[in-house]
Amino acid sequence: DRERAAAQRMAATAQDTLALQEELQGVTGRVAEMEAKMRAAEEKAEKEKIRKAKREPDQVPSFTLADMQDELERVRKLFEFVEGVLPKDAQEAMRFFTSRNPSKLVGSDDDELGSEVDAADIARPLGPAVEMERHRAKLEERVQDHRDAIFREFSNLRTAVKAVQRDIESSAGRQGDLAARV
């Protein structure tokens, strides 16, 4: 029995040793992969360092497309904020200088059409939310203009009605005087 127990322990130890060897090989493989990645990263960093050292001081650093898009998005948001806090006339001036319509820069007879084209040119790359906000602002302005026009018309009508009422009262008074005379 002792020999059998010793043989079983030896078999178990052999199995444990094989399992540890497999695990050690897996860890060794992962360490080798990590070392290769580390070397590649260090080489890339060294190449970037050399490239930066070779670059002249006044040379513009190179950016990836993603870096440039991120920077443009940041600048766009900054300008949207600045434009949002400016008074209306300053906003219109800012839109004029960001215009992409060459007829607006040269000078066009049809300013309203040019400004609508400019606003559409500006809003298009900024996204549908900005385009909708500009459309909403334009509609609000039109509604305000119509409201003011209707208010003026009602004021004029009120004045005309009062004048007609005074004329009726004065003519009624004259009719009463004529009837009294007859």
Side-chain angles (χ1 to χ4, degrees):
D1 280 334
R2 281 186 172 183
E3 289 177 10
R4 193 181 284 169
Q8 286 177 350
R9 275 184 276 165
M10 293 270 288
T13 305
Q15 286 178 349
D16 289 343
T17 305
L18 287 175
L20 287 174
Q21 283 179 341
E22 289 176 9
E23 193 173 319
L24 182 61
Q25 286 176 348
V27 169
T28 304
R30 287 189 297 240
V31 168
E33 288 175 13
M34 290 175 68
E35 286 176 345
K37 288 180 182 178
M38 183 68 129
R39 269 187 254 115
E42 287 173 349
E43 288 173 6
K44 186 176 180 181
E46 187 64 30
K47 286 179 183 178
E48 183 68 22
K49 188 176 179 181
I50 291 169
R51 189 176 61 83
K52 284 183 180 180
K54 288 181 180 178
R55 189 176 73 216
E56 296 178 22
D58 61 340
Q59 186 179 4
V60 177
S62 63
F63 291 104
T64 64
L65 180 61
D67 292 339
M68 290 181 0
Q69 287 174 335
D70 291 342
E71 185 65 17
L72 286 173
E73 181 69 16
R74 187 184 71 78
V75 170
R76 180 187 65 82
K77 288 179 181 178
L78 180 66
F79 272 96
E80 282 179 358
F81 171 76
V82 169
E83 186 178 342
V85 297
L86 290 175
K88 189 170 181 80
D89 57 341
Q91 286 178 2
E92 290 173 3
M94 191 170 176
R95 284 188 202 122
F96 172 79
F97 288 110
T98 57
S99 172
R100 293 190 190 133
N101 185 359
S103 66
K104 182 74 171 181
L105 298 175
V106 172
S108 174
D109 294 335
D110 192 6
D111 287 338
E112 187 174 317
L113 178 61
S115 65
E116 287 178 15
V117 170
D118 289 341
D121 283 347
I122 292 168
R124 192 172 300 111
L126 299 179
V130 173
E131 195 170 348
M132 286 299 291
E133 179 64 27
R134 289 202 171 137
H135 184 67
R136 184 188 62 76
K138 191 187 326 178
L139 285 176
E140 283 179 354
E141 187 176 327
R142 283 179 156 176
V143 167
Q144 183 67 30
D145 290 345
H146 287 294
R147 188 181 140 266
D148 292 344
I150 289 172
F151 181 75
R152 282 191 303 274
E153 288 300 317
F154 276 122
S155 177
N156 292 342
L157 284 172
R158 190 178 317 123
T159 303
V161 167
K162 285 181 183 178
V164 169
Q165 286 174 342
R166 279 193 300 260
D167 287 346
I168 289 173
E169 288 173 2
S170 70
S171 65
R174 288 183 197 155
Q175 283 178 346
D177 289 342
L178 281 174
R181 286 184 190 173
V182 174

